[in-house]
Amino acid sequence: MPQLTIDGKQITAPVGATILQVARENGIDIPTFCHHEALEPWGACRLCIVEVDEGSRTRLVTSCNFPVKEGLAVTTKNKSIIAIRKMIIELLLTRCPNAQAVRQMADKLGVTGTRFPIENEFCILCGMCVRVCKEIVGAQAISFASRGGNKKVASPFFKRSGDCIGCGACVYVCPTQCITMNDVTEATDVYAEGTEQVGYARVMNNWRTRLPLKVCKSCGNPIAPEFQLQVLGKKAGLAPDALDLCQGCKE
Amino acid sequence: MDNNPAMKTLDSAVEKYGGKKEALLSIMHEIQKAQGSISEDSARYLSQKLDIPVSQVFSAATFYRAFSTEPRGKHHIKVCTGTSCYLRASEKIFERIGRELNIAGEGASEDGEFSVEKVRCMGCCNAGPVMAIDEQICEDVSAGKIPDLPKQEIIGEMTHRKATTVIKKYREDK
Ligand code: SF4
Ligand code: SF4
Ligand code: FES
Ligand code: FES
């Protein structure tokens, strides 16, 4: 097991762990914006940078995806690290001045304002929604679109996603709460010829997707999106009628 | 299988690479070349054929400069607006081309002949400002020179011969 030091503290770390994991386990705080324990490291926000000394030279690396090594000396805070983190958060504050998570992080890092002309985005492009949908849900319903300043998270062609199961994992994981969903009791489809009542439905606002909710065979209350139950039931190898009742009626 | 000719192009591109998922980008290159864009229909069809989520095809189609989800013209013009060319007023060149070809901003002309796009640094800053017509790089362009060249000449000659010679020749003629 590799021996290393973080901010001068002698630590024995498990093989394959990242600097961030080891630091957090030892009560050393490193700010992050694109890291989630359940997801693969991504290395996009750069907020988690630290300085590593491997003997011959020092360099700045992202701690969330840098594996620990024998003899590594890590510094999580010094003048240049703080300056870089402040710059990153100032830029995020420029893009998302009204996102609570960004403001809180700015407060924490002592950044009070921005020198640049502000925008009013909420998404910080941390990619957690895209990654949770791929890595955990397995749906790959959403992705990044475009590049550079136009980059955004989107459903394919900014239209209804046929792969979204309406699980809400993306809503849950988003640090700036910019993904929203809501359940409606009476959804209506509008056609040229007239309208059609759909009944209970879940609306994923950002992904322009609406999924009819399955209702309990016994009590008639909505359970979950029909499509989600189909997909999950198939994955779990359940009988087609296994998910016909709500939790209450099952018991 | 679809009898639509557009879908046939897709089928043959997919077949060329043995229907392999890993060949997505190569297949997309073929389609972009043949159809001038990766349309929504193409992306959805491709996603089915290769068993790749459509989100991944969409993401690739919008990420790489080589692809475009909007149709490109028969001749695609790229104007470099990288730092060095920008400083040499390449925005003016871009504007001028738009005016000449009647294209507002980036996009294609109505007749589908030309499309224009801004790109960042084409890797020959010393020859800037540069633009490219199809695969042909035109060096040392200036906005003033563009309108004087008849459209056919810009496109016809520049695509077939080195653009610089066209410009030089034009200068000599003057
Ligand atoms: S709600 Fe849809 S987009 Fe969000 S994680 Fe679930 S499947 Fe993916
Ligand atoms: S929508 Fe939320 S989770 Fe997705 S990239 Fe933007 S900030 Fe991150
Ligand atoms: S948490 Fe490491 S780069 Fe975002
Ligand atoms: S900036 Fe135009 S070629 Fe480099």
Side-chain angles (χ1 to χ4, degrees):
Chain A
M1 291 212 283
Q3 302 262 348
L4 69 156
T5 66
I6 302 184
D7 293 343
K9 193 171 161 185
Q10 277 287 340
I11 294 169
T12 310
V15 183
T18 63
I19 295 177
L20 179 67
Q21 279 168 343
V22 176
R24 287 197 170 163
E25 262 155 42
N26 287 276
I28 298 163
D29 181 44
I30 298 173
T32 62
F33 243 156
C34 69
H35 174 78
H36 193 289
E37 300 92 82
L39 302 173
E40 292 294 317
W42 184 245
C45 73
R46 320 310 282 179
L47 213 54
C48 69
I49 50 157
V50 296
E51 192 177 88
V52 296
D53 186 346
E54 290 164 298
S56 50
R57 65 191 180 117
T58 63
R59 61 191 172 122
L60 293 169
V61 300
T62 43
S63 62
C64 66
N65 57 3
F66 197 93
V68 291
K69 281 187 222 161
E70 181 64 42
L72 208 63
V74 181
T75 313
T76 69
K77 236 185 204 170
N78 65 24
K79 234 170 140 189
S80 60
I81 294 171
I82 290 171
I84 292 171
R85 285 189 190 144
K86 280 189 160 173
M87 189 68 217
I88 294 170
I89 203 71
E90 184 174 349
L91 290 170
L92 280 173
L93 204 54
T94 307
R95 178 182 162 89
C96 310
N98 297 311
Q100 206 190 3
V102 174
R103 301 186 75 113
Q104 277 170 354
M105 185 64 84
D107 281 349
K108 189 173 150 185
L109 299 181
V111 173
T112 50
T114 164
R115 291 163 287 175
F116 310 110
I118 56 167
E119 294 165 22
N120 191 20
E121 292 285 336
F122 280 86
C123 173
I124 57 170
L125 296 170
C126 67
M128 284 205 241
C129 52
V130 174
R131 289 181 287 145
V132 80
C133 188
K134 179 177 182 189
E135 293 173 28
I136 311 286
V137 184
Q140 291 189 253
I142 51 174
S143 65
F144 285 113
S146 296
R147 59 184 165 260
N150 294 325
K151 190 169 175 175
K152 26 179 116 34
V153 285
S155 52
F157 295 92
F158 306 100
K159 290 190 183 158
R160 191 185 81 83
S161 161
D163 293 318
C164 175
I165 62 169
C167 65
C170 52
V171 178
Y172 173 78
V173 83
C174 177
T176 58
Q177 277 116 33
C178 57
I179 308 174
T180 56
M181 69 174 188
N182 54 297
D183 288 357
V184 293
T185 51
E186 252 319 333
T188 315
D189 272 342
V190 182
Y191 304 105
E193 298 79 27
T195 58
E196 189 193 334
Q197 299 303 108
V198 185
Y200 290 112
R202 174 162 299 172
V203 187
M204 304 300 307
N205 296 300
N206 304 52
W207 320 134
R208 313 218 173 140
T209 300
R210 191 191 60 201
L211 299 121
L213 295 176
K214 186 171 184 150
V215 292
C216 172
K217 270 219 166 120
S218 160
C219 68
N221 283 329
I223 311 174
E226 182 106 44
F227 182 52
Q228 181 185 125
L229 295 175
Q230 273 171 19
V231 171
L232 298 182
K234 209 164 143 196
K235 244 191 208 165
L238 300 178
D241 63 352
L243 300 165
D244 279 358
L245 297 175
C246 70
Q247 208 53 39
C249 291
K250 254 185 222 160
E251 284 159 6
Chain B
M1 181 137 332
D2 222 296
N3 284 323
N4 180 328
M7 297 305 158
K8 281 223 174 101
T9 316
L10 300 193
D11 284 336
S12 62
V14 170
E15 260 153 48
K16 184 169 167 191
Y17 291 92
K20 285 205 194 89
K21 283 185 200 191
E22 306 76 56
L24 175 67
L25 293 181
S26 311
I27 296 170
M28 285 170 69
H29 275 298
E30 300 265 326
I31 298 168
Q32 174 75 43
K33 214 162 157 194
Q35 305 188 336
S37 73
I38 309 284
S39 68
E40 180 177 344
D41 286 347
S42 303
R44 295 197 187 273
Y45 188 75
L46 208 55
S47 126
Q48 258 178 18
K49 276 236 126 178
L50 298 175
D51 192 22
I52 295 174
V54 66
S55 63
Q56 302 310 297
V57 183
F58 172 63
S59 184
T62 56
F63 180 77
Y64 295 103
R65 280 245 175 240
F67 308 129
S68 137
T69 51
E70 296 299 320
R72 278 184 185 163
K74 256 195 228 139
H75 298 289
H76 186 60
I77 304 173
K78 295 182 211 152
V79 180
C80 179
T81 53
T83 310
S84 157
C85 293
Y86 179 85
L87 291 173
R88 288 156 158 174
S90 61
E91 286 283 337
K92 285 228 172 80
I93 296 169
F94 176 78
E95 269 167 38
R96 196 83 196 219
I97 290 175
R99 236 181 302 144
E100 290 305 308
L101 301 176
N102 216 349
I103 304 172
E106 291 178 306
S109 61
E110 227 162 81
D111 57 6
E113 282 292 312
F114 310 112
S115 53
V116 55
E117 170 192 39
K118 289 183 194 177
V119 298
R120 304 272 181 263
C121 193
M122 316 217 293
C124 38
C125 307
N126 60 326
V130 300
M131 64 184 224
I133 302 178
D134 298 330
E135 306 305 317
Q136 182 71 63
I137 300 223
C138 318
E139 302 171 345
D140 189 18
V141 191
S142 89
K145 281 176 220 152
I146 292 162
D148 306 332
L149 293 167
K151 223 180 271 180
Q152 293 76 355
E153 198 167 310
I154 303 188
I155 305 309
E157 292 223 31
M158 283 200 186
T159 46
H160 295 117
R161 300 173 43 185
K162 224 178 169 2
T164 34
T165 28
V166 176
I167 294 177
K168 263 190 210 140
K169 192 184 88 191
Y170 180 75
R171 270 196 213 140
E172 281 159 17
D173 288 351
K174 272 235 137 171

